[in-house]
């Protein structure tokens, strides 16, 4: 949901570095791009609507003078994606430039006031009030830093802001509230950025900026002040992600690279067993109920968590959509463990719910991004070890979330058998990946389908939901996941000749029942793709197409493995439809607005 970068370089021009860094954040927004630098008497600005490569081909974005600047990729919230609405935004005198991620809730009232004072606005964005407020305070005699402090006293909402001014040409000032912003401390370069991948090439030294703190970057270094204007001596963390982890390394897209990294992501996540055990030991005697809270793919991981914790540990468990949490949180108490699943750790809906749950209950966050807001708000944290995920559609972070949930549930229930099974999951995933071409072939057949259905029972039901979400997100084909037994209660009316139905059929007690549902849809003309196990002759004979998986993968661990062919199917259908699976339309990697 928009990406921002700001930097000051000791020796070099900032624009090429800003272009390189902001390109690493394109997964956060790709409807427009802009860069501004400050020199002497001028703000040098280039911006336009479209993907970075398109706008760069037209404007040569790196060709701007000056060793300090800011950059932005946009996911539109206020105002359509156009040049005028793209960031950076300027004040009236073209002396101050601002980039912003988030939403200024009271911008209309501020705009009205400023217009009365004679300010003229060019764009439809909420952001544009910020450079005008900065201008007003600078005109009153403030330096840029103080002007920013006064501005954040006025604006309400979520924001990460970076600003430059021609009056202080070697400086970037920045702040945040409810939107991510990290500070990067290189040897000859200093950064602010929405996420790590932007700066990994230049430094691994990170400072996490807290809400209300203001950071000032200059050629001499970094100063961070709290809301009382005290200079802070903040800890520098070294993150162990490498720049290569955020590159395609020969793959056509990040999505397929990340699908191929799922074995190692699970292995690394399962290696966190001691940390998970410590948390389980601390809380297990003190909880009688669990509630998962999450959005999207993370919600699907949570559904699997419900089946696991209720079945294995016998603890009543519910799953709530984060955006609906406030309507149903009333029964939480100090015996409830509320588990927040979020790969980014910055999803606004999830963070709002986390704040509320912290008041009454124990909170645990399962998060992929170290230092993200969820890791700092939750009482307990499990970090998944997927590494940076750049593709907008979650793949390796999803299976890593599942791995953490399985580990947590197995330790809570002291289920040694499940722990042993989990260790074999990376090998099962590798076997699936070896047969990638089979799915690629099948995908050609379905690339013009208009609707897809996915069905599964028990542990396979969340797989069906996640398979359908992946399809919708990157192929724009309508897909619905259903509990296999529910289909006949209504949705079966939609089944018609040739409609693809993906049936998820791992070995287990309910296999026969789902086979009956498969036959019901076939009888109405559906074209069934069965995802089952080697030796499943019933499925092999009946389904039009099959993809087979190691028969040791039973229904309980199926969510970790059976999702992989479904991710690959969506990927190749998207490619066959000539779509970019890494940057699906209308989506952003991290949704920082409610
Ligand atoms: C996943 O493919 C989606 N882009 C989306 O549903 C995502 O899972 C959701 O927005 C939650 O994000 P989070 O895990 O970062 O909180």
């Amino acid at each position: 949901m928009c990406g921002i970068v700001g930097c000051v370089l000791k020796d070099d021009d900032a624009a090429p570095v800003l272009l390189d860094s902001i390109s690493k954040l394109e997964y956060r927004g790709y409807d427009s791009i802009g860069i501004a630098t400050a020199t002497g008497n001028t703000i040098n600005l280039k911006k336009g609507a479209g993907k970075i490569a398109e706008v760069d081909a037209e404007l040569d974005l790196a060709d701007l003078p000056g060793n300090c600047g800011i950059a932005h990729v946009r996911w539109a919230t206020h105002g359509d994606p156009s040049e005028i609405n793209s960031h950076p935004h300027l004040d009236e005198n073209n002396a101050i430039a601002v980039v912003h991620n988030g939403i200024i809730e009271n911008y209309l009232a501020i705009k009205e006031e400023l217009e009365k004072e004679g300010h003229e606005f060019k764009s439809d964005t909420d952001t544009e009030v910020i450079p005008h407020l900065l201008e007003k305070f600078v005109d009153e005699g403030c330096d840029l830093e103080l002007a920013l402090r006064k501005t954040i006293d006025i604006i309400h909402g979520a924001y990460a802001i970076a600003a430059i001014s021609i009056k202080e040409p070697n400086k970037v000032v920045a702040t945040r509230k409810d939107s991510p912003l990290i500070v990067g401390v290189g040897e000859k370069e200093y950064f602010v950025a929405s996420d790590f991948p932007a700066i990994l090439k230049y430094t691994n030294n990170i400072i996490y900026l807290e809400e209300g703190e203001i950071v000032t970057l200059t050629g001499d270094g970094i100063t961070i002040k709290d809301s009382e204007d005290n200079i802070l001596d903040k800890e520098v963390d070294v993150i162990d992600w490498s720049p290569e982890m955020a590159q395609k390394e020969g793959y056509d897209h990040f999505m397929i690279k990340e699908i191929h990294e799922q074995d190692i992501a699970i292995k690394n996540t399962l290696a966190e067993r001691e940390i998970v055990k410590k948390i389980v030991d601390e809380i297990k005697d003190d909880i009688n109920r669990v509630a998962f809270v999450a959005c999207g793919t993370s919600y699907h991981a949570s559904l699997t968590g419900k089946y696991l914790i209720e079945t294995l540990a016998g603890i009543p468990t519910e799953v709530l959509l984060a955006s609906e949490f406030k309507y149903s949180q009333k029964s939480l108490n100090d015996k409830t463990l509320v588990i927040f699943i979020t790969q980014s750790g910055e999803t606004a809906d999830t963070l709002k719910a986390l704040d509320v749950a912290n008041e009454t209950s124990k909170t645990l966050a399962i998060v992929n991004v170290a230092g993200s807001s969820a890791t700092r708000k939750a009482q307990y944290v499990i970090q998944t070890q997927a590494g940076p995920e750049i593709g907008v559609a979650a793949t390796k972070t999803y299976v890593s979330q599942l791995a953490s949930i399985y580990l947590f549930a197995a330790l809570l229930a002291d289920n040694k058998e499940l722990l042993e099974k989990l260790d074999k999951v990376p090998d099962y995933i590798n076997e699936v990946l070896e047969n990638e071409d089979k799915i690629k072939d099948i995908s050609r057949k379905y690339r013009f389908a208009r609707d897809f259905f996915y069905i599964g029972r028990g542990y396979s039901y969340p797989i069906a939901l996640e398979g359908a979400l992946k399809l919708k997100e990157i192929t724009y084909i309508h897909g619905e996941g259903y509990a296999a037994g529910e289909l006949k209660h209504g949705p079966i009316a939609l089944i018609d000749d040739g409609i693809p139905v993906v049936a998820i059929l791992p070995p287990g007690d309910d296999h026969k029942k789902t086979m009956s549902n498969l036959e019901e849809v076939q009888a109405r003309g559906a074209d069934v793709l069965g995802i089952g196990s080697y030796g499943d002759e019933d499925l092999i004979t009946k389904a039009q197409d099959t993809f087979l998986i190691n028969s040791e993968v039973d229904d309980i661990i199926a969510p970790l493995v059976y999702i992989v062919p479904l991710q690959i199917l969506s990927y190749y259908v998207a490619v066959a439809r000539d779509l970019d699976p890494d940057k699906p339309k209308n989506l952003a990697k991290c949704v920082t607005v409610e």
Side-chain angles (χ1 to χ4, degrees):
M1 191 125 303
C2 301
I4 70 176
V5 178
C7 77
V8 178
L9 307 185
K10 269 189 185 155
D11 304 324
D12 298 315
D13 277 353
V17 173
L18 285 167
L19 178 59
D20 175 58
S21 298
I22 203 71
S23 303
K24 307 289 181 341
L25 297 186
E26 205 175 12
Y27 63 88
R28 300 179 67 90
Y30 28 87
D31 56 43
S32 54
I33 154 84
I35 297 182
T37 59
T39 44
N41 298 327
T42 329
I43 292 286
N44 313 286
L45 174 68
K46 290 188 178 181
K47 62 180 185 173
K51 290 187 177 163
I52 294 179
E54 295 158 8
V55 179
D56 187 35
E58 202 181 314
L59 300 181
D60 193 4
L61 292 164
D63 184 24
L64 290 170
N67 49 11
C68 122
I70 51 179
H72 187 272
V73 280
R74 179 164 184 253
W75 186 89
T77 55
H78 294 75
D80 60 357
S82 63
E83 192 211 326
I84 206 80
N85 288 333
S86 42
H87 300 217
H89 287 283
L90 303 182
D91 71 323
E92 201 115 31
N93 305 318
N94 295 345
I96 293 170
V98 168
V99 287
H100 161 230
N101 168 29
I103 287 186
I104 309 301
E105 286 161 2
N106 56 341
Y107 83 101
L108 280 174
I110 298 172
K111 195 169 170 177
E112 222 176 274
E113 271 311 299
L114 287 166
E115 277 172 338
K116 276 188 208 150
E117 291 170 23
H119 290 255
E120 278 180 30
F121 289 81
K122 298 187 188 82
S123 76
D124 305 319
T125 66
D126 52 340
T127 302
E128 202 184 350
V129 298
I130 302 171
H132 284 265
L133 284 171
L134 291 173
E135 173 193 357
K136 176 179 152 140
F137 294 124
V138 167
D139 286 350
E140 286 171 12
C142 301
D143 63 11
L144 192 59
E145 185 190 311
L146 184 58
L148 183 60
R149 187 167 301 291
K150 289 188 174 226
T151 297
I152 61 176
D153 282 346
I154 293 175
I155 56 176
H156 301 156
Y159 49 79
I161 300 168
I164 54 173
S165 160
I166 58 170
K167 286 199 180 156
E168 298 164 72
N170 206 18
K171 186 183 278 185
V172 173
V173 297
T175 190
R176 67 171 282 268
K177 178 179 167 280
D178 291 338
S179 275
L181 195 69
I182 51 163
V183 180
V185 192
E187 280 184 16
K188 292 182 168 182
E189 56 280 286
Y190 307 107
F191 290 94
V192 287
S194 304
D195 202 354
F196 302 124
I199 59 175
L200 283 176
K201 186 167 153 189
Y202 306 96
T203 182
N204 284 54
N205 298 330
I206 304 294
I207 299 174
Y208 298 111
L209 205 61
E210 297 298 334
E211 308 216 334
E213 291 176 352
I214 292 188
V215 58
T216 301
L217 318 179
T218 66
D220 298 326
I222 281 165
T223 314
I224 298 177
K225 290 187 184 166
D226 66 11
S227 52
E228 311 284 295
D229 217 29
N230 303 307
I231 295 185
L232 303 172
D233 184 15
K234 295 197 57 143
E235 204 177 309
V236 179
D237 266 30
V238 181
I239 53 156
D240 60 1
W241 287 1
S242 67
E244 294 73 38
M245 286 166 113
Q247 274 156 27
K248 285 190 205 148
E249 293 181 314
Y251 286 93
D252 289 340
H253 298 99
F254 280 108
M255 183 176 177
I256 193 69
K257 175 189 175 231
E258 287 158 1
I259 287 172
H260 277 262
E261 288 170 345
Q262 295 189 109
D263 56 336
I264 188 78
I266 289 186
K267 208 182 230 166
N268 291 343
T269 301
L270 292 175
E272 300 287 290
R273 184 160 158 174
E274 280 316 306
I275 296 172
V276 180
K277 182 154 182 358
K278 211 168 148 229
I279 296 172
V280 168
D281 289 346
E282 232 173 273
I283 59 173
K284 71 172 178 233
D285 296 329
D286 215 16
I287 56 169
N288 58 19
R289 186 172 157 219
V290 173
F292 282 93
V293 180
C295 309
T297 289
S298 302
Y299 176 79
H300 297 154
S302 305
L303 289 173
T304 307
K306 171 182 165 69
Y307 288 107
L308 282 168
I309 292 178
E310 287 191 334
T311 314
L312 304 180
I315 302 175
T317 302
E318 64 192 310
V319 184
L320 301 167
L321 285 168
S323 55
E324 292 289 307
F325 177 76
K326 69 174 171 208
Y327 312 110
S328 57
Q329 102 276 357
K330 295 282 184 290
S331 63
L332 302 185
N333 58 39
D334 61 351
K335 293 273 179 208
T336 315
L337 172 68
V338 191
I339 307 182
F340 292 84
I341 310 288
T342 166
Q343 63 81 21
S344 63
E346 300 292 352
T347 302
D349 289 322
T350 308
L351 292 178
K352 285 275 176 245
L354 178 46
D355 283 338
V356 175
N358 266 333
E359 285 169 22
T360 50
S361 309
K362 293 175 188 51
T363 58
L364 162 66
I366 298 185
V367 188
N368 194 51
V369 179
S372 56
S373 300
T375 66
R376 282 174 284 147
K377 285 175 186 262
Q379 295 153 30
Y380 300 94
V381 175
I382 297 174
Q383 207 194 317
T384 53
Q385 300 296 327
E389 186 175 72
I390 310 294
V392 164
T395 53
K396 64 174 178 170
T397 55
Y398 172 63
V399 295
S400 304
Q401 290 170 342
L402 286 174
S404 290
I405 294 170
Y406 272 82
L407 199 52
F408 180 83
L411 292 166
L412 191 65
D414 198 15
N415 188 320
K416 297 198 176 51
E417 197 193 334
L418 180 57
L419 287 169
E420 275 165 30
K421 276 187 196 170
L422 288 178
D423 287 337
K424 292 188 180 168
V425 166
D427 292 339
Y428 300 140
I429 288 182
N430 269 326
E431 287 170 23
V432 171
L433 293 171
E434 279 162 22
N435 291 321
E436 182 181 341
D437 282 349
K438 171 105 207 260
I439 289 284
K440 190 174 175 180
D441 289 346
I442 294 173
S443 71
R444 289 199 192 103
K445 172 173 165 187
Y446 293 118
R447 67 188 191 279
F448 297 120
R450 214 190 54 193
D451 302 285
F452 261 75
F453 291 87
Y454 292 72
I455 57 170
R457 268 170 196 271
Y459 288 100
S460 297
Y461 171 42
I463 309 177
L465 294 175
E466 176 58 10
L469 181 63
K470 283 289 92 77
L471 185 86
K472 276 186 275 219
E473 284 186 310
I474 63 165
T475 71
Y476 319 145
I477 297 174
H478 170 244
E480 292 300 334
Y482 286 103
E486 182 64 15
L487 208 64
K488 58 186 171 298
H489 297 288
I492 200 161
L494 298 169
I495 301 294
D496 221 331
D497 275 350
I499 290 215
V501 175
V502 182
I504 299 143
L505 277 147
D509 294 345
D510 288 320
H511 182 274
K512 261 209 171 86
K513 283 202 183 107
T514 310
M515 275 307 294
S516 305
N517 303 131
L518 181 157
E519 288 177 56
E520 286 157 15
V521 294
Q522 266 185 332
R524 285 150 183 92
D527 196 347
V528 173
L529 165 59
I531 313 288
S533 57
Y534 287 106
D536 183 348
E537 292 309 326
D538 201 14
L539 176 67
I540 295 167
T541 337
K542 286 180 181 149
Q544 274 85 350
D545 291 290
T546 51
F547 183 85
L548 302 177
I549 287 173
N550 194 315
S551 57
E552 288 172 14
V553 180
D554 60 16
D555 52 353
I556 298 180
I557 56 164
L560 289 152
V561 185
Y562 274 58
I563 190 60
V564 181
L566 304 189
Q567 296 166 337
I568 299 173
L569 176 71
S570 297
Y571 172 77
Y572 281 113
V573 171
V575 171
R577 288 164 71 94
D578 211 14
L579 300 168
D580 180 351
D582 285 344
K583 300 187 196 87
K585 71 173 156 77
N586 304 341
L587 300 186
K589 185 75 187 158
C590 172
V591 185
T592 51
V593 290
E594 281 179 85

